[in-house]
Amino acid sequence: MDIEKIRTLIALMEESELVNLEISSDDEHISLTRHYDAPVPTMMAASAVGAAPVAAEAQPAMQTGIVETSPMVGVYYSAPSPNDPPFVKVGQKVQAGDTLGIIEAMKIMNPLEATQSGVIDEILVTNSEVVQFGQPIVRYKA
């Protein structure tokens, strides 16, 4: 898979404001989904009529700190095998290049490595969770 081709597709999605893009050829299949932190559009909010209003204090506070994101779509694994301890824990200090987890894509185990040194403040996904391209995986302390 050519990373420049993926970057071009991402740029196309941003230009066209597409939410989903799926392309298949004989030997490749690419599926991209954008996630927004923006408010829910009015059309979708209308379906929530009758739902209990959420109190302002119940909304999560804006988190600070740098996040490591998933470089691909796949299944996130927090440990090398089910009986092993996780690669990282909250409060653990990591160095750039340390393994934060594994992302399985198309039966290939891809290590997710820290791009910087820091202390893990929060692990944002659970073991065996399907992650999307660009989805936050861990947050470092600010």
Side-chain angles (χ1 to χ4, degrees):
M1 180 73 39
D2 181 19
I3 193 71
E4 287 304 315
K5 186 178 189 179
I6 294 172
R7 286 186 177 145
T8 303
L9 292 172
I10 292 169
L12 174 68
M13 286 181 71
E14 290 173 349
E15 287 174 15
S16 306
E17 297 183 16
L18 292 174
V19 176
N20 293 314
L21 178 66
E22 195 165 329
I23 298 175
S24 294
S25 67
D26 294 337
D27 59 342
E28 293 181 327
H29 177 83
I30 299 173
S31 177
L32 301 172
T33 303
R34 290 179 65 179
H35 296 277
Y36 293 99
D37 291 332
V40 178
T42 333
M43 289 178 12
M44 294 177 82
S47 66
V49 173
V54 178
E57 60 272 357
Q59 294 177 352
M62 186 65 164
Q63 297 291 326
T64 59
I66 297 173
V67 296
E68 291 284 351
T69 60
S70 175
M72 64 189 72
V73 175
V75 178
Y76 170 81
Y77 295 108
S78 60
S81 71
N83 297 328
D84 290 334
F87 289 107
V88 293
K89 297 176 185 164
V90 173
Q92 179 178 340
K93 184 172 182 163
V94 296
Q95 300 295 319
D98 287 354
T99 302
L100 301 174
I102 297 172
I103 299 178
E104 178 187 6
M106 300 177 68
K107 304 294 181 198
I108 298 174
M109 300 299 180
N110 303 285
L112 175 64
E113 296 179 349
T115 58
Q116 68 176 31
S117 299
V119 176
I120 303 297
D121 186 36
E122 186 178 10
I123 300 173
L124 304 167
V125 293
T126 59
N127 189 48
S128 301
E129 180 178 336
V130 175
V131 295
Q132 301 297 317
F133 175 79
Q135 179 177 345
I137 304 293
V138 298
R139 180 183 320 279
Y140 295 103
K141 285 190 179 181

